[in-house]
């Protein structure tokens, strides 16, 4: 892992009025579904305008592209081996205590200690379900997904309107701040629209119902769509794509989309229109929240971040959605706006990783001295505001699968973590090594500049490059993150 760049200017500390923070992240939205990127025929007028007002990082990734690991990295500033959330929080993995730790010092804890009012709206997915299980649709299968988050596990968020995971977008389920475990409620409204309503209520804060008006605020809005199921959205967004058959057919003709003889080729064709429509719906709700910031007078002194927890293959490359190193899964949107502080621009040089968000945002907000030593991400606050920085030359890729975590042949969690996928992504290459518990090791190497669809695996053709990338990039990441996973070429 080589670091490029020489000059690193001082911390970007805000010495005036502490800024507010608005952090919006829909679930399962790949970077290419941003209209201004001109990669897919998706309508995102509000995000397009927002991107013209902020910094767009086109090389941001979700280092562990699946829900809970991303969320734990984002909240803790640490990689999965360190924060313990190596896979999704479910009832099956509850015996391994895979959930966000109560004593983890999150960025929200820091802001709470420094006088902020904090709010969380939407999907949380950082607590494992336990018996007696909540009686809801996501908990009626063999694996249970949904759980209440008790106040002592909310990491400083004093306004709470959330759920763990519940994939019924047209009738979502929530726990409000003071609700007990059995006191969840349903809403007959599309999830992102309802969550935008709640965010606007939070900003308006009539009669001080949602927060302390005398304090700066930090608000997270975590929308579930465009996560599947793709048929759960208002018809008005689908109708917007009724005259775009030709453009959608161009997507279907992509070399990474399997043909109709393959189940995933059929899957892509069935869902792509509705998924694009979902993104347009999310865009409209994000636009409503931005307008609220302006109307209530918070626009100038609010840092706004728009990103996603991971992308979605939607059947491309024969992959259902996430947990893979293809760009559709790995590469995520990242746009940050702070008027008069962050110059609008597009940047491809910074290879941003999820744990970098914690120190970068706290640094921007004036709390660089409060960042715990245990945080593994790097602050790029100075770079965001136009200064120089030492830039990473790669990003870590990390996936551990349920079957190995549940394998009774492996006695310890350490042993369970010694298999599965690790890799790196540089500006040009993606390397992924899959160490199987029972079977050969699979190695994938793609040159994304020459092969943007990642169709040509160069690992056998360029073994020296594989070894070089492993030793100079991946191995230092493993050492830094305390990951004992290793590979040797035989």
């Amino acid at each position: 892992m080589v670091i490029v760049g020489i000059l690193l200017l001082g911390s970007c500390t805000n010495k005036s009025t502490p800024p507010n923070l608005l952090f919006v992240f829909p679930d399962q939205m790949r970077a290419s579904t941003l209209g201004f990127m001109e990669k897919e025929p998706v309508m995102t007028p509000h995000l397009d305008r927002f991107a013209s007002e902020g910094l767009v990082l086109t090389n941001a990734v979700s280092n562990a592209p699946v829900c809970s690991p991303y969320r734990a990295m984002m909240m803790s500033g640490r990689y999965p081996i360190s924060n313990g959330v190596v896979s999704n929080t479910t009832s099956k993995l509850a015996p391994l205590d895979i959930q966000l730790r109560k004593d983890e010092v999150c960025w929200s804890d820091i802001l709470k200690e420094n006088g902020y009012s904090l709010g969380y709206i939407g999907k949380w997915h950082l607590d494992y379900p336990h018996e007696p299980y909540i009686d809801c649709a996501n908990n009626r299968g063999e694996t249970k997904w949904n759980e209440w988050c008790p106040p002592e596990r909310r990491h400083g968020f004093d306004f709470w309107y959330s759920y763990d995971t519940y994939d019924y977008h047209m009738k979502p389920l929530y726990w409000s701040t003071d609700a007990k475990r059995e006191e969840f409620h349903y809403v007959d409204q599309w999830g992102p629209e309802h969550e935008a309503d709640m965010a606007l209520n939070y900003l308006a804060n009539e009669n001080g119902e949602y927060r302390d008006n005398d304090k700066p605020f930090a608000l997270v809005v975590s929308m579930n769509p465009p996560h599947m199921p793709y048929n759960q959205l208002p018809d008005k967004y689908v109708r917007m794509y009724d005259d775009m058959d030709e453009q959608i057919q161009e997507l279907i003709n992509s070399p990474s989309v399997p043909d109709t003889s393959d189940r995933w080729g059929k899957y892509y064709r069935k869902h792509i229109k509705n998924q694009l429509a979902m993104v347009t719906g999310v865009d409209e709700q994000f636009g409503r929240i931005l307008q609220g910031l302006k109307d209530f007078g918070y626009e100038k002194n609010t840092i706004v971040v728009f990103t996603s927890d991971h992308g979605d293959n939607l059947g491309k490359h024969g992959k259902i959605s996430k947990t893979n190193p293809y760009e559709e899964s790995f590469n995520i949107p990242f746009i940050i706006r702070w008027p008069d502080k962050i110059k609008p621009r597009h940047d491809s040089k910074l290879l941003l990783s999820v744990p970098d968000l914690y120190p970068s945002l706290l640094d921007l907000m004036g709390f660089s001295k409060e960042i715990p030593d245990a945080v593994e991400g790097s602050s790029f606050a100075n770079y965001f505001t136009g200064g120089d920085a030492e830039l990473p030359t790669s990003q870590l890729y990390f996936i551990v699968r349920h079957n190995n975590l549940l394998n009774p042949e492996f006695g310890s969690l350490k042993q369970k973590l010694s298999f599965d996928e690790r890799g790196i992504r540089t500006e040009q290459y993606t390397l992924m090594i899959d160490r199987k518990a029972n079977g050969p090791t699979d190695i994938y190497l793609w040159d994304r500049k020459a092969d943007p669809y990642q169709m040509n695996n160069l690992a056998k053709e360029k073994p020296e490059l594989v070894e070089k990338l492993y030793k100079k990039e991946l191995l230092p990441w493993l050492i830094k993150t305390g990951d004992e996973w290793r590979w040797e070429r035989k």
Side-chain angles (χ1 to χ4, degrees), residues 334-353:
F334 186 86
I335 311 169
I336 183 169
R337 185 188 75 180
W338 191 8
D340 303 326
K341 302 290 195 306
I342 295 177
K343 181 180 179 181
R345 64 193 191 279
H346 287 211
D347 181 275
S348 62
K349 294 180 181 179
L350 175 54
L351 303 178
L352 189 75
S353 291

Side-chain angles (χ1 to χ4, degrees), residues 207-253:
N207 301 316
E209 181 180 355
Y210 296 87
R211 56 188 172 86
D212 187 338
N213 268 326
D214 295 326
K215 295 180 178 181
F217 66 81
L219 175 64
V220 176
V221 183
S222 174
M223 301 175 183
N224 202 340
H227 190 285
M228 73 272 281
Y230 304 110
N231 62 350
Q232 295 189 18
L233 74 164
D235 289 340
K236 66 177 183 176
Y237 299 123
V238 181
R239 291 196 299 269
M240 293 172 69
Y241 288 83
D242 281 349
D243 297 327
M244 298 188 68
D245 291 347
E246 184 177 342
Q247 294 93 324
I248 291 174
Q249 186 60 45
E250 290 181 12
L251 290 180
I252 293 171
N253 292 336

Side-chain angles (χ1 to χ4, degrees), residues 247-307:
Q247 294 93 324
I248 291 174
Q249 186 60 45
E250 290 181 12
L251 290 180
I252 293 171
N253 292 336
S254 163
S256 56
V257 176
D259 63 32
T260 53
S261 66
D262 186 283
R263 63 179 292 204
W264 297 116
K266 295 175 183 176
Y267 185 87
Y268 184 88
R269 288 164 175 80
K270 180 179 180 179
H271 296 302
I272 179 60
K273 178 180 177 180
N274 278 23
Q275 190 193 53
L276 296 178
M278 273 185 162
V279 171
T280 296
V282 166
D283 173 81
E284 181 173 84
Q285 303 313 317
F286 179 61
R288 291 179 60 219
I289 298 171
L290 290 181
Q291 187 62 45
L293 269 184
K294 184 176 183 179
D295 292 344
F296 296 121
Y298 296 118
E299 184 178 60
K300 281 287 186 181
N301 198 36
T302 299
I303 298 169
V304 181
V305 174
F306 183 92
T307 186

